[in-house]
Amino acid sequence: MKDLPDKALDQIAAYFQALSEPTRLKILNLLREQERSVGELAQLSSYSAANVSRHLSYLAQHGLVERESRGVSVFYRVSDPSIYALCDLVCGNIARRYEQASSDRAVFKPD
C-alpha cells in the first residue's frame, strides 16, 4: 500500500467494506463451488430472496460477483476467485488466535 494515492486507498477500503458483512461472506462462500441463482442462494442461506438480491447487488457494484441472465433467471458467480485466498488467509489467522486463546484459558482451569 506504500505510496498509493488517496483514491486507490478509498477503493481498497470499499473492497474490504464489501467483505465486512456476514451475510455477504456467507453468499460468497455459497458461490465458492458453483454459480447460483438468487433463489438457490436464498434457500441455502435461509435469507429472503430480496435480502440476498440486495447483497448481491452490493457485491456486484464492488466487482466481487458477476451476473448472467439466462431466460427469466439470473445466475451469479464470483468474478475473481482470488478473493477466497484472502478469506482463507484471514480465517486461518482468526482460527490460530482462537486456538491460542483457548489454550491460554485452559492453563487457568482447575484440575
Side-chain angles (χ1 to χ4, degrees):
M1 294 190 323
K2 187 177 179 184
D3 298 327
L4 286 176
D6 288 346
K7 187 166 181 134
L9 292 173
D10 290 343
Q11 290 177 342
I12 293 166
Y15 186 85
F16 281 107
Q17 186 174 8
L19 297 174
S20 70
E21 212 287 327
T23 303
R24 291 192 285 268
L25 290 174
K26 187 169 190 174
I27 290 169
L28 287 170
N29 200 38
L30 290 169
L31 292 172
R32 191 175 198 135
E33 298 301 321
Q34 66 186 48
E35 64 184 16
R36 297 183 189 274
S37 68
V38 172
E40 289 174 304
L41 290 166
Q43 185 176 24
L44 291 168
S45 67
S46 300
Y47 300 126
S48 70
N51 191 21
V52 168
S53 184
R54 183 174 58 87
H55 285 291
L56 284 166
S57 177
Y58 191 87
L59 289 168
Q61 178 184 356
H62 289 86
L64 295 166
V65 297
E66 299 172 338
R67 58 180 279 154
E68 181 180 337
S69 296
R70 292 188 208 140
V72 295
S73 296
V74 177
F75 289 85
Y76 288 85
R77 66 181 165 270
V78 171
S79 58
D80 181 6
S82 70
I83 187 67
Y84 296 116
L86 175 62
C87 289
D88 290 344
L89 178 68
V90 171
C91 289
N93 186 34
I94 291 170
R96 283 188 298 279
R97 284 178 170 180
Y98 180 76
E99 287 172 10
Q100 182 61 44
S102 294
S103 65
D104 289 348
R105 281 191 297 274
V107 169
F108 294 102
K109 286 185 180 180
D111 289 330

